[in-house]
Amino acid sequence: MKKYIATIIAVVIFTIFTWLYGIICLNKTTGVHSPDQALTNNPNIDIMFTENTANQYFNNDCTYTYDDMENDSSFIGVVTVTDRREMSLYSTKTLVKIEKIYKDTTSDIKFGDSINIIEPASFINEHSFYTNGWQFMKTGSKYIVYLKNLECIDGYSYTKEEAISYMPVSEIYSKMNLTDTEEIKLYDINNTNYINNQSLAFISTDSQIIENYINIWNNSPYQASSH
């Protein structure tokens, strides 16, 4: 009997320890959940650039075309970024308000509705900006965006929140800031401070990517009507 009680106590203690350890590790991994607050807490955050690592979810290739981007998109429109943002380990869920809709193939969203954009970037430990090229959307700014639905296995039904959550089709090409002028130039790997690079439209060390971004947006029929 005593051995049984001791086992139960050990299991309870282990469970509590595991729970506390998980919370501590989560806090160490993500820090605060707001990217705006993280940047306020530490203005000297460094960029952890993963050098355009191949990713099955996004097309960052220098041969990607405007037609490809439009075809890959299930939603194209203009959105305003709200301050409702939540970082996880390598991504950030950002709530945006819809201002214009140019394409919507999957739902009945309309002007004034809100959707989530899962940004493929995050501040880790409040001292590193993890990105494979994506630049954080700025709170309060308007963007034209090219998005796709979250990927899932066949037969899966989206939850209510997942149904209004989208991913960019590319970590490089699929957004343009309509409020602020952003720089389209090569990222300097010798200057990794985020504050010094937050005006970049995206992060890349490949000149072909720069040229292709310009070419893609020069071919966008929605750019002029979005302002």
Side-chain angles (χ1 to χ4, degrees), residues 29-171:
T29 300
T30 63
V32 299
H33 291 285
S34 164
D36 301 319
Q37 185 61 49
L39 192 58
T40 299
N41 291 353
N42 181 11
N44 296 313
I45 288 175
D46 282 329
I47 295 174
M48 184 188 298
F49 180 39
T50 55
E51 299 288 346
N52 293 318
T53 302
N55 192 309
Q56 62 177 323
Y57 301 112
F58 311 103
N59 196 321
N60 304 326
D61 197 270
C62 63
T63 61
Y64 201 46
T65 67
Y66 174 79
D67 288 340
D68 293 331
M69 189 166 76
E70 184 170 37
N71 290 335
D72 290 344
S73 300
S74 53
F75 175 87
I76 302 172
V78 176
V79 301
T80 297
V81 180
T82 75
D83 61 359
R84 292 180 58 182
R85 313 178 75 173
E86 184 176 0
M87 294 187 297
S88 57
L89 184 55
Y90 296 122
S91 64
T92 300
K93 181 173 69 175
T94 297
L95 187 74
V96 300
K97 182 180 178 182
I98 296 172
E99 306 291 348
K100 293 182 180 179
I101 298 174
Y102 300 122
K103 178 182 179 180
D104 175 31
T105 64
T106 61
S107 62
D108 58 354
I109 54 179
K110 58 186 181 299
F111 168 79
D113 286 349
S114 294
I115 60 174
N116 296 310
I117 297 179
I118 309 303
E119 299 189 66
S122 180
F123 288 135
I124 302 177
N125 292 329
E126 295 185 54
H127 63 70
S128 295
F129 174 57
Y130 174 89
T131 182
N132 192 41
W134 181 266
Q135 176 69 289
F136 260 141
M137 302 176 79
K138 296 176 176 61
T139 301
S141 293
K142 288 185 179 181
Y143 290 81
I144 179 171
V145 291
Y146 289 70
L147 309 173
K148 61 181 178 179
N149 290 97
L150 301 182
E151 298 189 8
C152 65
I153 60 174
D154 291 340
Y156 177 82
S157 297
Y158 290 117
T159 65
K160 185 176 180 180
E161 182 172 17
E162 289 170 345
I164 60 166
S165 296
Y166 297 79
M167 301 168 61
V169 296
S170 170
E171 293 169 297

